[in-house]
Amino acid sequence: MLSRYLLILFFCFHYAAAQPYYTRVRGAFGADAYGIAPKAAVTAEAAFGYLKKSFWNVQAGVGAITSAHFRSPSVLAALTHCFILNPYKRSSCVPQPGNYLIESYLEAGIGGFLVDRYDNGIYFDQNKQRLLTPSGVAGVRFHIVSQKWIYMLKLRYTPPLLPNELASHAGVGIGVGWR
């Protein structure tokens, strides 16, 4: 019974998320939790390389990690390519903020985080953390377009490419951007 409803939701999602246009984002500020951030981070991002059906996005952020035996600042970064989710009418990228309030994108790329592994446990060698943990990024982005701002929600699957106990396999991000 549940699988039937999920199948119906999956097929209806493509039509609900359909859009023939998208609004260009110049820049954004936000916050990420898990995914390419070990715990949480404040981020800034900029979009560039606009094409007919897609654009590139670069993101950078700063956060902190605290646990029982490990404490460190963290730096994160990601480069993703965002594709407009639309099963039909992929013809233009003319901004239409008054007509299309919710825009959806498929996001794919690479990211990762950097920690200072020598912050704690220098003398006892208690932490075996990696300095750099790269991850793949695959997810869905939603933009809610208003007259002045673009509100963003990012749901991401981020499998780590190198094993690390701080890395997580999923993350979420929110943000506010402008045109």
Side-chain angles (χ1 to χ4, degrees), residues 29-135:
F29 291 101
D32 274 16
Y34 301 102
I36 59 170
K39 296 290 182 188
V42 176
T43 62
E45 62 183 79
F48 64 95
Y50 284 97
L51 302 171
K52 187 175 182 178
K53 303 173 190 175
S54 64
F55 64 91
W56 288 90
N57 189 53
V58 64
Q59 178 180 7
V62 177
I65 307 166
T66 57
S67 66
H69 300 288
F70 187 73
R71 183 180 51 201
S72 173
S74 66
V75 177
L76 65 94
L79 176 66
T80 59
H81 197 158
C82 302
F83 302 93
I84 187 171
L85 281 179
N86 187 0
Y88 62 93
K89 294 184 182 176
R90 288 183 164 177
S91 60
S92 178
C93 64
V94 178
Q96 298 290 327
N99 298 330
Y100 305 100
L101 298 178
I102 298 177
E103 300 175 352
S104 56
Y105 305 91
L106 178 65
E107 184 177 34
I110 190 162
F113 63 87
L114 179 74
V115 296
D116 182 8
R117 63 181 168 199
Y118 299 110
D119 192 35
N120 277 347
I122 309 173
Y123 304 109
F124 301 109
D125 197 31
Q126 292 177 349
N127 71 48
K128 302 288 185 189
Q129 301 302 323
R130 289 188 182 276
L131 180 66
L132 175 64
T133 303
S135 299

